[in-house]
Amino acid sequence: MKIGPMGVWPPVVLAPMAGITNAPFRVLCREQGAGLFVCEMITTRALVERNPKTLRMIRFADGERPRSIQLYGVDPETVGRAVKMIAEEDLADHVDLNFGCPVPKVTRRGGGSALPYKRNLLRRILREAVRNAGPLPVTMKMRKGIDDDHLTYLDAGRIAVEEGVAAIALHARTAKQHYGGQADWAAIARLKEAVPEVPVLGNGDIWSADDALRMVAETGCDGVVVGRGCLGRPWLFRDLENAFNGDPARVRPSLGEVADVMERHAEGLAGCFDTERYAVADFRKHVGWYLKGFTVGSELRRAMTTAESLDELRTALAKLDRDQPWPPNTDTPRGKSGERDRVHLPDGWLDDPWDSHVPDDAESDISGG
């Protein structure tokens, strides 16, 4: 799969996930298999203002190539400045633009999955990004639309091609669906038919390598984006590499092998964050994902999710039954799910789909990563 000048094989992308796809997690995933591994989403305003937290978030581990940054922004000028900064200061090799985030704090300001409804504003943002990227490929990730009555993905795809975007990823859900229900893979097929000029990547409900192969076969998409399926399971990328190379082998680690990865993950976070205590606290959210399906007592699980130091975590990990085999039937949904009652939007956002005005408070209090 070609994304601009970059060759990507296997055609697999790690989806940027807030609080998840930092450098330590990306390193674990890269060790398992090749692909494109994108850092967690950062805001364009924070980047151009050189917010210290944001600059820490875009640090890459030694040997991470290609380096991929996902940007979120609503103002075309600010997006352009951020992309130009990345290109001129060699901060990354690839820029992805987020038009898929469904969380209220983003959509109520017109960003994320709300933005493609404003076709001309989307065009302005993409034009500024591509114009300022120099040799770097610019890609975009989006959803089907705001809800079933306001679908935007086909219009957005055509606009992206016209403005020089190198690839398009579609999470086949609406913003209203959030992470609930079933991904509409047929929409991925329709997008591929609409924009044959560029690679189209499918996203949604890939819980195993076989799911990825099935998505490609059913939709004709050029590659896949994997998000929640790899939570607590970085070795999914080994499975994906094997699958796309025609190898039926799948990684099925013992609980002892999982525990070793958990320890390395926590240690990596300790090297990434300012304090060990904060790093261990951040790691707690991964415990349930890593242990999914294994038989582990509630008291031992509690010890891991309340640990305040690496030593406390190591003590708990040492009590696991290391010989316990990989549990069957764990290629199932992970992470958050559920549909939203409504999508939070700026006042009057749906009145005119061609309006290119940037909301006055679009980025007024967004200054962190």
Side-chain angles (χ1 to χ4, degrees), residues 106-368:
V106 169
T107 59
R108 69 164 47 104
R109 296 184 180 279
S113 53
L115 199 143
Y117 184 75
K118 299 292 190 181
R119 276 71 165 176
N120 286 334
L121 179 57
L122 174 68
R123 186 182 295 278
R124 288 176 57 200
I125 290 173
L126 295 176
R127 182 170 296 176
E128 285 298 306
V130 172
R131 185 174 69 85
N132 284 283
L136 304 186
V138 174
T139 61
M140 65 181 280
K141 185 166 185 274
M142 62 180 176
R143 286 186 174 236
K144 289 171 57 182
I146 292 172
D147 53 35
D148 288 338
D149 294 325
H150 302 89
L151 298 177
T152 56
Y153 69 105
L154 295 178
D155 283 350
R158 289 308 312 165
I159 290 169
V161 168
E162 291 165 6
E163 295 303 329
V165 166
I168 303 168
L170 176 65
H171 184 162
R173 287 181 170 88
T174 63
K176 185 176 184 295
Q177 279 184 279
H178 204 62
Y179 296 96
Q182 186 173 4
D184 176 16
W185 289 7
I188 299 170
R190 287 191 289 270
L191 179 63
K192 180 59 188 174
E193 291 175 359
V195 290
E197 302 95 328
V198 300
V200 169
L201 297 96
N203 177 220
D205 294 350
I206 295 177
W207 311 113
S208 70
D210 294 326
D211 288 337
L213 295 183
R214 185 166 55 87
M215 175 184 279
V216 172
E218 291 182 9
T219 70
C221 67
D222 302 279
V224 299
V225 179
V226 178
R228 293 174 296 154
C230 70
L231 294 175
R233 195 169 50 153
W235 42 86
L236 177 58
F237 289 94
R238 177 70 58 81
D239 288 353
L240 288 161
E241 182 165 330
N242 287 345
F244 279 103
N245 286 326
D247 185 342
R250 301 292 182 263
V251 180
R252 295 295 181 260
S254 67
L255 183 52
E257 293 170 316
V258 172
D260 292 341
V261 173
M262 293 173 72
E263 183 174 348
R264 286 191 56 219
H265 192 168
E267 290 172 345
L269 291 173
C272 181
F273 294 128
D274 293 334
T275 67
E276 178 179 311
R277 184 171 181 174
Y278 181 86
V280 173
D282 185 77
F283 177 75
R284 294 172 186 166
K285 62 176 173 276
H286 295 273
V287 170
W289 297 325
Y290 274 115
L291 299 181
K292 182 180 175 70
F294 286 105
T295 301
V296 179
S298 59
E299 185 174 334
L300 188 50
R301 286 178 180 265
R302 190 178 307 110
M304 295 180 200
T305 55
T306 58
E308 296 186 352
S309 69
L310 287 173
D311 283 343
E312 286 184 31
L313 181 61
R314 292 186 185 110
T315 298
L317 290 171
K319 296 178 181 178
L320 292 170
D321 175 10
R322 294 184 60 86
D323 294 330
Q324 190 176 149
W326 178 258
N329 304 318
T330 54
D331 292 340
T332 54
R334 293 164 176 253
K336 54 193 171 184
S337 61
E339 187 167 321
R340 295 295 176 90
D341 292 334
R342 66 186 181 93
V343 180
H344 295 265
L345 300 168
D347 290 341
W349 189 252
L350 299 178
D351 292 348
D352 181 2
W354 302 104
D355 176 30
S356 65
H357 174 71
V358 179
D360 293 336
D361 61 347
E363 301 183 43
S364 63
D365 65 351
I366 299 175
S367 59

